[in-house]
Amino acid sequence: MTRADMRILVTGAAGFVGSHVLRRLLANDRFKVAALLRPTSNTQRIDDLLGRVRRIDGDLRHVDAAEPAIAAFAPDTVLHLAWAGVTNAFRNDPEQIDNVEATVNLLRLSQRIGVRHWIGLGSQAEYGPHEGPLREDAPNCPTTLYGVTKLCACMLAQHLCVTAGIRFAWLRLFSAYGPTDD
C-alpha cells in the first residue's frame, strides 16, 4: 500500500487534540479522511475543515448504527482519539468505564470492515505518579479511574488487534496544551 491510498477514520476530531491531528492529516493530500462526529458535537475547532472531510454522524456509544457509513468509506486505518471525561473533574467518574466499551465496540467494527491499522490515544495517567524522568517501560500503576480505563482500553485493543492481525499502536500523550485548548 502506498500512502496515497490511505483512508483514515478519525474519532474525536472535534476535540482539542483531534482538531490538530485532523489539520495535519488534511495538510497532506495523500490521505482521505473521515471523521466520526456526534450530531451534537461542537465543531467550532474544525468548521473550516468540514468541507474537506467525510463527516460520518454517529456516537461511539452506539457505533454499530454508523457501521454502514463507516464501511462505505472503507478506512484502512482508524485513529481513535475520542474519550469522554478528559478533564480533572471527571477523573474518577464511573462513566469512564463506558469509554472502554466504546473502544472495544469500535475495534470490533474495525475488524468486521477490514481495517488494517488501528491507533489509539492513551494518557500519562496510565502510569500514575512517578518520581523523576518517566520512560515508556515504566510500570503502569494508575491512580484514577481515567488512568485505569485508558490502560484497560489499551490492553484490550492490543489483544483484539493482535488476534485479528491488525497493526496496533497506542500513543500516550503527556500534558497537551496550545491554541484552541479549553
Side-chain angles (χ1 to χ4, degrees):
M1 170 177 43
T2 66
R3 290 184 71 183
D5 300 324
M6 291 196 76
R7 301 178 70 75
I8 303 169
L9 173 68
V10 180
T11 69
F16 170 60
V17 172
S19 65
H20 288 279
V21 170
L22 185 62
R23 282 186 193 289
R24 292 300 300 252
L25 290 172
L26 292 174
N28 186 331
D29 61 3
R30 296 179 289 186
F31 302 129
K32 302 291 184 221
V33 182
L36 179 66
L37 296 167
R38 288 170 300 167
T40 60
S41 287
N42 177 354
T43 60
Q44 178 179 341
R45 290 182 178 112
I46 60 169
D47 281 340
D48 61 316
L49 304 176
L50 290 176
R52 299 172 45 210
V53 174
R54 175 156 328 159
R55 179 183 178 138
I56 299 174
D57 287 325
D59 188 319
L60 283 174
R61 293 174 296 176
H62 311 287
V63 74
D64 288 350
E67 184 169 349
I70 295 170
F73 176 70
D76 53 67
T77 303
V78 169
L79 187 48
H80 180 42
L81 308 175
W83 198 269
V86 297
T87 61
N88 285 339
F90 299 99
R91 292 295 181 189
N92 287 300
D93 189 316
E95 290 189 23
Q96 289 288 344
I97 296 166
D98 296 342
N99 288 308
V100 177
E101 183 178 7
T103 299
V104 170
N105 290 340
L106 176 64
L107 188 47
R108 287 182 174 153
L109 183 152
S110 298
Q111 290 171 331
R112 287 193 302 271
I113 65 172
V115 166
R116 296 186 306 227
H117 314 281
W118 203 91
I119 303 165
L121 184 62
S123 168
Q124 72 188 60
E126 294 172 64
Y127 293 111
H130 279 269
E131 293 289 324
L134 184 58
R135 295 172 31 112
E136 287 183 33
D137 59 355
N140 298 111
C141 191
T143 58
T144 64
L145 192 52
Y146 172 78
V148 169
T149 56
K150 278 285 192 178
L151 183 58
C152 285
C154 170
M155 295 175 74
L156 287 165
Q158 182 177 24
H159 177 77
L160 292 171
C161 283
V162 167
T163 59
I166 298 172
R167 286 183 65 198
F168 169 82
W170 189 260
L171 311 173
R172 290 189 176 139
L173 185 63
F174 282 60
S175 302
Y177 64 95
T180 72
D181 188 2
D182 293 332

